[in-house]
Amino acid sequence: MKVALDSQPAEPSRENEDFAAAVPGAAVLLDGAGVAGAETGCVHGIAWFSATLGGLLLSAVSTQSTRPLVECLADSIRAVRSLHGDTCDLAHRASPTSTVVAVRAGAGVLEYLVLGDSTLLLADLDGETTAVTDQRSDEVGKRLRAPVDLLPTGSAEHVVALAEYREALTGLRNQPGGFWIAGPDPLAAEHAFTGTAPVESLTSVTLLSDGATRLVDLFELATWQDTLAAVGSVGSVGSVGSVGSVGPDGLIRRVREAEAGDPDGRRWPRGKAQDDATILHWVLA
Ligand SMILES: [Zn+2]
């Protein structure tokens, strides 16, 4: 199994709330969600939540090869609950949550699961790239955040408006009319997007947190095809390592350069000037 992985916190001094890992035949990526330092009812924190859920999920998908990914995720959410139900308030409305991407290859089939706004890129032998992402939280967010985006990122007014926006968004987590995300409730797993593809039709699968997809979905400086070319595969074996391939770390560097060119979010309004960014690129052929 050939995997390239890079993960960078938003700031070098901050805890990275993304988690990504792979074992032969499976990979997961999670992006822990919440406001750093804000009350969550959990003594462990968001990075603990995403890493613990991610580790348990990777274990479940790799050791229970016939159990559907949705059930593996529900089991893992239950297992995390049992780890901190005694110490933490799991009914807290801002309890830690996380996006989830999981992929598993076995018996000629690649299974995938996507919950929340992390992205899965499937590159096939024809050179086509399919992006699987769950935009439901972004759609809800866009409705709520228009007033926030009129303010310069990092200004005092922006901080206040952003806190109000996040409070409103938090109230819509795992609610009808809101969006679904992995948190204390195993039911969220049933709302994940899932699918399959023949392994032999694919050249690579790439898992990205939203801090790493900004060049495409926020800054509009690149396409998904460009993203794959940058991380190392554009759909055929011959092109791996071609000019323009900089690997996951190089792509995250490009994101940081774009962010540095717009530190107060005037060109690209955004909640965080920089975000945790993670890319896991799995070469299949
Ligand atoms: Zn806890």
Side-chain angles (χ1 to χ4, degrees):
M1 185 185 191
K2 206 163 141 191
V3 167
L5 165 63
D6 193 48
S7 185
Q8 298 291 333
E11 309 281 349
S13 59
R14 291 241 324 258
E15 201 169 29
N16 189 344
E17 294 167 354
D18 285 1
F19 175 88
V23 293
V28 299
L29 179 145
L30 295 87
D31 177 356
V35 181
E39 183 53 48
T40 62
C42 171
V43 300
H44 305 90
I46 293 159
W48 175 87
F49 179 80
S50 55
T52 304
L53 180 59
L56 289 166
L57 178 61
L58 186 60
S59 171
V61 301
S62 59
T63 58
Q64 301 174 63
S65 60
T66 59
R67 191 152 173 82
L69 297 181
V70 163
E71 290 172 28
C72 290
L73 177 57
D75 293 346
S76 304
I77 290 172
R78 270 185 220 103
V80 176
R81 279 190 73 93
S82 72
L83 289 175
H84 70 152
D86 291 344
T87 54
C88 306
D89 173 13
L90 303 189
H92 196 286
R93 69 192 294 273
S95 185
T97 55
S98 178
T99 72
V100 179
V101 181
V103 290
R104 176 171 61 193
V109 175
L110 181 100
E111 299 165 80
Y112 62 83
L113 173 151
V114 177
L115 180 65
D117 63 0
S118 296
T119 297
L120 173 67
L121 297 181
L122 303 171
D124 69 27
L125 284 167
D126 299 327
E128 297 291 321
T129 304
T130 305
V132 183
T133 186
D134 173 1
Q135 298 291 344
R136 288 171 291 186
S137 67
D138 290 356
E139 285 158 11
V140 171
K142 271 189 194 119
R143 290 207 307 266
L144 298 174
R145 70 169 296 146
V148 184
D149 289 342
L150 297 173
L151 304 165
T153 300
S155 66
E157 312 93 285
H158 185 262
V159 170
V160 171
L162 194 63
E164 289 170 358
Y165 155 76
R166 283 179 171 149
E167 184 65 19
L169 198 61
T170 296
L172 288 169
R173 296 185 324 178
N174 298 339
Q175 297 292 330
F179 61 94
W180 294 90
I181 193 91
D185 186 356
L187 185 68
E190 293 176 18
H191 294 268
F193 294 161
T194 58
T196 60
V199 172
E200 62 182 17
S201 72
L202 299 169
T203 54
S204 70
V205 293
T206 308
L207 293 62
L208 307 100
S209 68
D210 69 336
T213 56
R214 291 181 154 193
L215 287 178
V216 179
D217 56 21
L218 185 58
F219 304 158
E220 299 180 339
L221 295 174
T223 63
W224 294 124
Q225 200 76 24
D226 298 334
T227 298
L228 269 187
V231 295
S233 169
V234 287
S236 69
V237 176
S239 57
V240 172
S242 63
V243 176
S245 168
V246 291
D249 55 328
L251 186 69
I252 293 174
R253 223 165 25 244
R254 288 182 184 171
V255 174
R256 293 290 181 249
E257 286 163 8
E259 290 164 336
D262 180 44
D264 58 6
R266 285 185 191 278
R267 182 173 177 193
W268 300 301
R270 55 199 193 268
K272 302 172 193 166
Q274 301 193 156
D275 196 2
D276 299 338
T278 303
I279 301 170
L280 189 155
H281 178 64
W282 175 5
V283 179
L284 291 163

